[in-house]
Amino acid sequence: MTEYIVFAGTANPALAAAVTEALGAVPGSCSVERFPDGETSVKVLESVRGKDVYLLQPTCPPVNDNVMELLVFADACRRAAAGRIHAVLPYYGYARSDKRHGRRESITASMVALLMRTAGIDHVVTLDLHTDQVEGFFPGPFDTLTAVPTLCAAMRPELPVDAVVVSPDAGRVKLATEYATRLDLPLAVLHKRRESGTRTQVTHLVGEVEGRTCLIIDDMISTGGTLVESVSALRDAGAAAFTVSATHGLLLRNAVERLADAGVERLFVTDSIPPREDPRGIVRVVSVAPLLAHALRQLVQDRSLQELF
Ligand code: R5P
């Protein structure tokens, strides 16, 4: 086994501490500073020569700062003759920018992948990616873990037997099917039209929801707009109650209040992103630290991750 070292970026210190503790590792010594002009400085304070380096850094908000910090970290390790550099991104910022909707747009998820490679990152580990194609943007090994089994285990005791798993749009059907299979529940699908970056409109519903508790799933909740629209369409179709589950709880602006006001009783998210305030007491945060520690334990021994899927 190659000697390894785990460095915690500043994006999610609580998760990094939980992962390293579960792994029985001491985080590598480093300093991260932001200069008054906004530039990022990283100093690696111990030798990484020839070692496997794991950089734990979700690229969550502030996304640009956290992406840049990851790149600077990798560059510092590369220049200090690290062996392999592994980026562990429990949340991959810009993953939604995975295609062009018009002719003059960036595919920023691809650009970020190429920047990571240029900075010296050899391998990426992430969690419930927005779309599978993002894996192909990185020209090297890429492992995508899933928090669905962890979330299902946490919510199973709180779901009634007549619940139905709902995909909020066609793009989430695969993820919703994974939930439905694990929870042994039926599936319903909404079809939505995106009207702007923050507004969507539900146009169709396939499946039976009348009188049932809907478990609406998504990969991420940003402003909550998608889910509020989903709840409204499901209520119009006679649904009785609403639970939400998403791996990445960005929960920006007043997303939690909006969802609570819409009638969402419970909102399951992981700690891939530092948990936001929960003034309405509806958020249940499920930790992915054991999952990430398990994955790292396998990786540091060059063992398969198959048992995690
Ligand atoms: C979109 O395709 C994603 O899977 C999410 O549904 C979306 O990004 C959530 O954003 P918001 O909460 O702002 O509607």
Side-chain angles (χ1 to χ4, degrees):
M1 181 174 104
T2 313
E3 215 181 324
Y4 75 94
I5 185 160
V6 182
F7 287 105
T10 60
N12 192 342
L15 178 65
V19 171
T20 45
E21 191 187 332
L23 197 58
V26 178
S29 182
C30 59
S31 88
V32 179
E33 262 186 274
R34 301 239 188 278
F35 291 144
D37 60 1
E39 291 178 358
T40 303
S41 159
V42 173
K43 290 192 178 74
V44 172
L45 302 174
E46 59 185 284
S47 173
V48 293
R49 190 172 298 277
K51 293 181 186 166
D52 263 354
V53 170
Y54 291 83
L55 304 176
L56 188 62
Q57 172 85 332
T59 48
C60 53
V63 176
N64 295 342
D65 282 346
N66 286 332
V67 167
M68 194 63 196
E69 183 183 313
L70 174 70
L71 299 174
V72 175
F73 235 124
D75 189 61
C77 293
R78 177 174 66 87
R79 291 175 193 281
R84 287 180 298 184
I85 302 177
H86 311 258
V88 183
L89 279 65
Y91 174 77
Y92 187 119
Y94 284 112
R96 283 178 290 182
S97 177
D98 60 352
K99 62 175 95 58
R100 296 193 304 170
H101 299 278
R103 288 195 174 274
R104 299 184 202 94
E105 289 176 32
S106 166
I107 302 178
T108 319
S110 166
M111 190 193 73
V112 168
L114 296 176
L115 286 171
M116 288 197 287
R117 187 58 151 185
T118 303
I121 290 166
D122 297 292
H123 170 212
V124 176
V125 180
T126 187
L127 182 72
D128 288 328
L129 262 183
H130 181 62
T131 48
D132 296 339
Q133 71 220 47
V134 173
E135 290 196 346
F137 297 155
F138 184 77
F142 199 113
D143 289 299
T144 303
L145 305 171
T146 177
V148 173
T150 310
L151 285 162
C152 287
M155 74 179 69
R156 194 172 281 117
E158 298 195 39
L159 284 176
V161 285
D162 72 334
V164 54
V165 176
V166 180
S167 173
D169 55 42
R172 295 304 123 212
V173 171
K174 186 174 162 212
L175 185 68
T177 305
E178 185 65 33
Y179 273 92
T181 306
R182 287 192 177 269
L183 294 167
D184 197 18
L185 292 174
L187 181 66
V189 179
L190 294 169
H191 181 69
K192 81 178 182 198
R193 190 174 53 219
R194 183 161 283 283
E195 299 193 327
S196 73
T198 52
R199 267 199 60 76
T200 57
Q201 164 118 38
V202 173
T203 55
H204 298 86
L205 162 66
V206 180
E208 287 297 320
V209 299
E210 195 171 348
R212 288 171 173 249
T213 293
C214 291
L215 168 63
I216 315 171
I217 62 86
D218 213 333
D219 58 326
M220 69 178 80
I221 306 168
S222 182
T223 64
T226 301
L227 293 172
V228 169
E229 287 293 332
S230 302
V231 168
S232 162
L234 293 164
R235 182 174 282 117
D236 289 348
F242 307 95
T243 294
V244 164
S245 177
T247 301
H248 308 296
L250 290 160
L251 300 174
L252 303 174
R253 303 182 194 153
N254 56 347
V256 175
E257 287 90 333
R258 286 180 80 190
L259 291 167
D261 289 344
V264 171
E265 291 167 7
R266 285 170 301 242
L267 170 50
F268 290 85
V269 290
T270 77
D271 54 357
S272 64
I273 291 168
R276 310 284 287 203
E277 275 181 27
D278 177 20
R280 307 291 284 273
I282 63 167
V283 182
R284 311 271 193 280
V285 179
V286 182
S287 182
V288 286
L291 169 69
L292 293 172
H294 189 161
L296 292 190
R297 212 172 287 122
Q298 294 296 105
L299 291 171
V300 298
Q301 299 182 64
D302 275 330
R303 289 217 199 117
S304 167
L305 296 182
Q306 192 59 41
E307 66 194 45
L308 291 172
F309 302 120

